[in-house]
């Protein structure tokens, strides 16, 4: 790897701290049919720790996304990962009466996490009194990107009511949307339109600052468009957004669900390292911690002789 590329992945990142991870922390969830199981990961040192609530992709669970969750926790964030109802670990059949509302249950899961920060904090030895509740970000991959996006102002055309409800959460002040679906309607394949009718997002009210991450080879089977479909959350939302395009990346962005996860079709430690550090640097800037790391990351990509990606902002 060239010296300029090492700068992208290593500069301006503090040495990782030891982390502690507790699972499952169980939150009562009346009306959900299953209590909400959550994993909490945090560094063993530091105070005033910012929070990332993370929504997994379809079928995953609190055990997924170690490459991101462990990195973020080792570099100063508390990472909270709920297991949504579509997780393979729960085995809910497709004809379950909750299935049409899975997208909404997911959003409620994230809000329930934020409602119970006291309980989650108390469940992790040594974490008491160390959370910064004024610095909260929502992040998600794939289906989880839409879920996290709802807390940022993204609206879903509910297939049952035909309405778009505002589910934005003022406690969340920044977001990271990884490989997140674009427009619905005519942009969907017939299969997606039939089986995923909730994939009709509107980005016009998604005003919370966010970093959108897309792979330039993520040719989704759910859309009749190409990889540019995954950039809609950036181009169709109001300003105050940034876009990281990861070169050569498919839907797993090099392996963020886990290098041995069956979803990973494009395993690349270099791409994962890029996503780790760029998202970390962005969130530190967006949450008002410091912006030198974000500036350095953007500069390094611009100046690299063989960049792994491109950042643009508006």
């Amino acid at each position: 790897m060239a010296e300029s590329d090492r700068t992208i992945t290593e500069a301006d990142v503090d040495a990782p701290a030891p982390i502690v991870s507790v699972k499952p922390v169980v939150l009562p969830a009346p009306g959900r049919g299953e209590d909400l199981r959550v994993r909490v990961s945090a560094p063993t040192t530091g105070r005033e720790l910012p929070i990332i609530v993370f929504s997994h992709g379809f079928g995953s669970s609190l055990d997924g996304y170690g490459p991101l969750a462990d990195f973020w926790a080792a570099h100063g964030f508390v990472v909270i990962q709920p297991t949504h109802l579509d997780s393979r670990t729960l085995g809910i059949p497709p004809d379950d009466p909750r299935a049409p509302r899975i997208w909404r249950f997911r959003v409620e899961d994230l809000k329930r996490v934020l409602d119970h920060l006291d309980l989650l904090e108390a469940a992790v030895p040594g974490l008491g009194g160390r959370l910064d509740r004024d610095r909260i970000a929502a992040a998600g991959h794939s289906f989880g990107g839409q879920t996290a996006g709802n807390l940022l102002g993204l609206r879903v055309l509910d297939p049952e009511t035909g309405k778009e409800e505002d589910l934005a959460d003022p406690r969340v002040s920044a977001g990271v949307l990884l490989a997140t679906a674009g427009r619905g309607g005519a942009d969907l394949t017939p299969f997606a339109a039939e089986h995923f009718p909730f994939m009709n997002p509107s980005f016009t009210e998604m005003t919370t600052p966010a970093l959108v991450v897309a792979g330039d080879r993520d040719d989704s089977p759910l859309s009749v468009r190409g990889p540019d479909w995954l950039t809609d959350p950036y181009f169709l939302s109001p300003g105050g957004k940034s876009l990281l395009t990861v070169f050569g990346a498919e839907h797993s962005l090099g392996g963020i669900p886990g290098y041995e996860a069956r979803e990973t079709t494009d395993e690349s430690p270099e791409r994962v390292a890029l996503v780790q550090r760029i998202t970390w640097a962005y969130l530190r800037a967006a949450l008002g911690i410091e912006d030198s790391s974000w500036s350095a990351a953007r500069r390094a990509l611009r100046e690299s002789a063989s960049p792994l990606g491109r950042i643009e902002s508006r």
Side-chain angles (χ1 to χ4, degrees):
M1 185 181 294
E3 177 63 31
S4 57
D5 294 328
R6 285 199 298 271
T7 301
I8 294 170
T9 57
E10 295 174 10
D12 302 293
V13 179
D14 294 334
I19 68 172
V20 59
S21 185
V22 174
K23 67 165 189 177
V25 184
V26 180
L27 302 181
R32 187 176 182 267
E34 306 273 348
D35 286 338
L36 181 61
R37 300 166 71 86
V38 180
R39 179 177 189 147
V40 184
S41 302
T44 58
T45 59
R47 303 191 64 80
E48 299 183 348
L49 301 173
I51 299 164
I52 301 172
V53 56
F54 184 84
S55 179
H56 63 70
F58 185 84
S60 190
S61 72
L62 57 76
D63 289 315
Y65 296 91
L68 286 183
D70 290 351
F71 181 89
W72 289 335
H75 293 88
F77 287 88
V78 174
V79 184
I80 305 176
Q81 298 173 262
T83 291
H84 298 304
L85 288 175
D86 55 85
S87 173
R88 290 186 292 271
T89 64
L90 298 180
I92 294 175
D95 60 352
D96 187 281
R98 293 168 290 180
R101 302 285 285 169
I102 285 288
W103 74 270
R104 180 62 180 267
F105 280 111
R106 281 173 146 263
V107 179
E108 292 171 357
D109 289 346
L110 299 191
K111 289 178 176 283
R112 183 169 282 109
V113 163
L114 298 180
D115 291 341
H116 291 86
L117 288 178
D118 285 346
L119 191 156
L120 295 168
E121 181 182 16
V124 180
L127 187 58
R130 297 170 58 214
L131 296 184
D132 185 344
R133 297 167 191 243
D134 293 325
R135 289 189 168 107
I136 300 176
H141 175 245
S142 193
F143 194 5
Q146 176 175 298
T147 305
N150 276 270
L151 272 60
L152 310 179
L154 179 155
R155 298 187 183 183
V156 172
L157 182 64
D158 191 313
E160 293 187 330
T161 66
K163 298 179 180 180
E164 291 181 355
E165 186 176 350
D166 180 8
L167 299 174
D169 196 306
R171 293 171 291 187
V172 175
S173 51
V176 174
L177 307 185
L178 302 135
T180 299
R183 291 183 303 190
D187 288 351
L188 297 178
T189 62
F191 176 86
E194 178 183 355
H195 292 88
F196 308 112
F198 49 81
M199 291 183 65
N200 272 293
S202 170
F203 303 102
T204 57
E205 303 297 329
M206 197 175 77
T207 57
T208 303
L211 172 66
V212 176
V213 182
D216 68 358
R217 294 186 183 176
D218 188 356
D219 196 0
S220 174
L222 302 177
S223 175
V224 297
R225 290 166 53 192
D228 72 298
W229 185 56
L230 286 302
T231 66
D232 281 356
Y234 172 73
F235 287 107
L236 301 182
S237 62
K241 305 295 188 299
S242 292
L243 172 66
L244 168 64
T245 302
V246 184
F247 299 155
E250 298 176 9
H251 198 59
S252 292
L253 299 170
I256 62 170
Y259 291 118
E260 297 181 2
R262 68 184 189 183
E263 295 95 333
T264 299
T265 58
D266 60 337
E267 186 169 317
S268 168
E270 294 81 11
R271 293 190 191 104
V272 172
L274 177 72
V275 174
Q276 288 171 331
R277 288 157 174 79
I278 295 294
T279 55
W280 171 84
Y282 172 81
L283 287 175
R284 286 178 63 83
L287 295 175
I289 300 169
E290 57 86 20
D291 60 11
S292 60
S293 299
W294 175 237
S295 297
R298 299 177 69 183
R299 181 174 60 255
L301 277 179
R302 286 196 307 269
E303 297 175 355
S304 173
S306 54
L308 295 170
R310 178 183 66 250
I311 295 173
E312 53 196 286
S313 300
R314 62 183 188 85

